[in-house]
Amino acid sequence: MAYWQPQIETMPREDLVRLQSERLVKQVRRMYEKVECFRKRMDEKGLTPDDVKGVEDLKKLPFSYKQDLRDYYPYGLFAVPMDEIVRVHASSGTTGKKIVVGYTKNDLADWSDCMARQLYAAGADSKSLVQISYGYGLFTGGLGAHGGAERIGATVIPTSSGNTANQIQTMVDFGTTVLCCTPSYAMYLGEAVEEAGVKDKLNLKAGIFGAEPWTEEMRKSIEEKLGLKAFDVYGLSEIMGPGVSYECECQQGMHVCEDMFIPEIIDPDTEEVLPVGASGELVFTSIKKEGFPLIRYRTRDICSLSLEPCMCGRTHIRMNKPRGRSDDMLINRGVNVFPSQIEEVLLRLSNGAITPNYQIIVDRVNNNDTFDVNVEMSEESFTDDVKSIEAFEKHITNELRSVLGIGAKVHLVNPKTIVRSEGKAKRVIDKRKLF
Ligand code: DLL
């Protein structure tokens, strides 16, 4: 087993909890002094920093929300003067104003350590050639992965996203061993590699893919197309960026960097803390961040946590793959469903006949919501025989109804007709929001 920071990654839980408590107490004090929004919320609850003695008091503290980042845009939640902020990132989201996050020098070093833990867990080291095909810029993916790869002394190939033919040429010519990008871009690159017939010229060993939900079926497909082992990495700009949690070689959930971030799972409606193992909304408290710390930030991501010992020896709690944000959840005939659940069904039953390229179109016709799923046939299964297409569409429609309970109209579309993504895929087109 290769650890980047063995003492921290395998720290006995009692020591870890003690460290978290110390850091939480300090963080709450600092934020009460420096961050107006937090101080006001504490005052409203009749709390002072003295009420927080350790992690057991976390549940008393007020939550923070994405709206806070909009209300205090751009720098109103920072806990240090601007001359200590050495970088900002921003996330645009699909609606509303940009949100801005800031990092001190120490924050960037901690972030690089989180990503370095991920890279080591994926088998990378100073001999690796790490191609970073996440977008560089205000998005945290590119520079976040970059910091980690430099930290372990690997050779960084900073291609950023896009220009797919060039990405593949670079992988072949430079001998890339580790690829970092979104899973949907990895899929796209995999297809392009197949088309170019260069799979045997690749030297890829591992891929570190995140920034959006993806399924085990998609993992298999990417691994096969690119000939690598695919690892999941999770993160969000508000808390840091990629590396908040990461998969180890056991791939049984993602270890949260718990020395820096404390996760909780809550019931999103009642805000009650749920026991470990229950599924609910993920909430994070950043206990080490200097520039832009958040207490009990509601991520909207739905997942569960596990404290079962992991064979890798890491003691940090694991979270399972989030299915999506509660904002992305669709409601069809009273049934709640995430796009990733639809992906799972599509890929499981298709036996290679359809690809992970799909789009869900939600519309409102005569006051009723309609739900259409366009799925691409694979090149191998492509047919223009209307009867067999109809039969297969019916089969998928039935399967979606029996497994998920949803009523969707499935349309098989020709290979390569759904727009590919170089970053996060847009799985849902909600035409209702246009009016
Ligand atoms: O997506 C940070 C990131 C970059 C993570 C590269 C991993 C790799 P945001 O743009 O702020 O930050 O979006 C954060 O993306 O709340 C989740 O809903 C989703 N997300 C991120 N990673 C995963 C993942 C980056 N591995 C939002 N699985 C989060 C599922 C993910 N969803």
Side-chain angles (χ1 to χ4, degrees), residues 265 278-282 301-305 319-324:
I265 295 287
S279 174
E281 182 180 331
L282 184 61
D301 286 321
I302 305 295
C303 71
S304 61
L305 299 172
M319 57 181 265
N320 67 355
K321 259 180 189 304
R323 289 187 148 165

Side-chain angles (χ1 to χ4, degrees), residues 91 134 139-141 210-213 232-238 241-242 254 301 322 325 424:
S91 149
Y134 286 116
F139 175 53
T140 52
E212 60 184 356
D232 198 0
V233 60
Y234 168 90
L236 63 167
S237 323
E238 299 92 309
M254 294 180 275
D301 286 321
R325 288 198 155 189
K424 302 192 192 215

Side-chain angles (χ1 to χ4, degrees), residues 14 68 73 83 111 158 175 178 201 207-208 210 213 236 254 272 288 313 353 408 422:
E14 316 84 78
D68 301 337
Y73 175 88
D83 62 348
W111 187 7
V178 179
K201 297 207 174 92
I208 296 175
L236 63 167
M254 294 180 275
E272 177 205 350
K288 197 160 182 268
E422 293 167 354

Side-chain angles (χ1 to χ4, degrees), residues 246 248 250-256 258 304-311 314-320:
Y246 61 93
C248 63
C250 305
Q251 304 200 315
Q252 300 285 320
M254 294 180 275
H255 292 280
V256 176
E258 264 193 291
S304 61
L305 299 172
S306 164
L307 266 175
E308 288 292 305
C310 185
M311 292 289 286
R314 289 178 184 79
T315 49
H316 294 200
I317 202 164
R318 281 170 291 159
M319 57 181 265
N320 67 355

Side-chain angles (χ1 to χ4, degrees), residues 346-347 349-355 375-382 392 396 412-413 415:
L346 292 177
L347 293 185
L349 69 92
S350 77
N351 224 347
I354 52 182
T355 70
V375 199
E376 259 182 30
M377 284 179 270
S378 61
E379 302 271 6
E380 303 78 61
S381 71
F382 175 67
F392 195 33
I396 305 175
L412 287 179
V413 299

Side-chain angles (χ1 to χ4, degrees), residues 160-375:
S160 192
S161 60
N163 198 349
T164 302
N166 188 47
Q167 297 273 358
I168 291 166
Q169 192 72 51
T170 306
M171 275 187 229
V172 171
D173 293 351
F174 295 11
T176 302
T177 58
V178 179
L179 174 67
C180 301
C181 62
T182 61
S184 41
Y185 196 41
M187 201 50 220
Y188 182 9
L189 287 167
E191 285 174 353
V193 162
E194 267 176 355
E195 234 164 65
V198 293
K199 185 176 170 194
D200 59 341
K201 297 207 174 92
L202 296 178
N203 193 26
L204 290 168
K205 308 276 181 287
I208 296 175
F209 307 129
E212 60 184 356
W214 52 308
T215 54
E216 286 304 324
E217 287 72 16
M218 182 116 159
R219 188 198 308 258
K220 273 186 226 125
S221 189
I222 294 171
E223 288 185 333
E224 193 187 295
K225 283 184 167 39
L226 290 171
L228 47 68
K229 185 165 159 100
F231 293 81
D232 198 0
V233 60
Y234 168 90
L236 63 167
S237 323
E238 299 92 309
I239 295 304
M240 185 177 72
V244 171
S245 69
Y246 61 93
E247 255 180 359
C248 63
E249 47 277 49
C250 305
Q251 304 200 315
Q252 300 285 320
M254 294 180 275
H255 292 280
V256 176
C257 292
E258 264 193 291
D259 52 319
M260 303 194 205
F261 316 107
I262 304 181
E264 296 170 277
I265 295 287
I266 63 159
D267 177 320
D269 298 322
T270 63
E271 298 198 326
E272 177 205 350
V273 179
L274 300 178
V276 170
S279 174
E281 182 180 331
L282 184 61
V283 169
F284 276 115
T285 296
S286 34
I287 47 177
K288 197 160 182 268
K289 270 276 215 61
E290 295 175 343
F292 176 56
L294 284 170
I295 299 283
R296 304 194 85 195
Y297 181 69
R298 292 194 50 175
T299 65
R300 319 297 299 177
D301 286 321
I302 305 295
C303 71
S304 61
L305 299 172
S306 164
L307 266 175
E308 288 292 305
C310 185
M311 292 289 286
C312 75
R314 289 178 184 79
T315 49
H316 294 200
I317 202 164
R318 281 170 291 159
M319 57 181 265
N320 67 355
K321 259 180 189 304
R323 289 187 148 165
R325 288 198 155 189
S326 50
D327 326 11
D328 303 330
M329 197 174 68
L330 299 164
I331 302 177
N332 176 265
R333 299 185 177 171
V335 176
N336 297 345
V337 62
F338 283 106
S340 58
Q341 289 175 284
I342 295 177
E343 176 180 313
E344 216 171 281
V345 174
L346 292 177
L347 293 185
R348 196 167 17 138
L349 69 92
S350 77
N351 224 347
I354 52 182
T355 70
N357 297 302
Y358 65 96
Q359 216 155 31
I360 302 161
I361 295 136
V362 189
D363 204 350
R364 182 162 294 144
V365 179
N366 299 331
N367 284 328
N368 283 319
D369 283 351
T370 58
F371 211 78
D372 290 78
V373 182
N374 294 339
V375 199

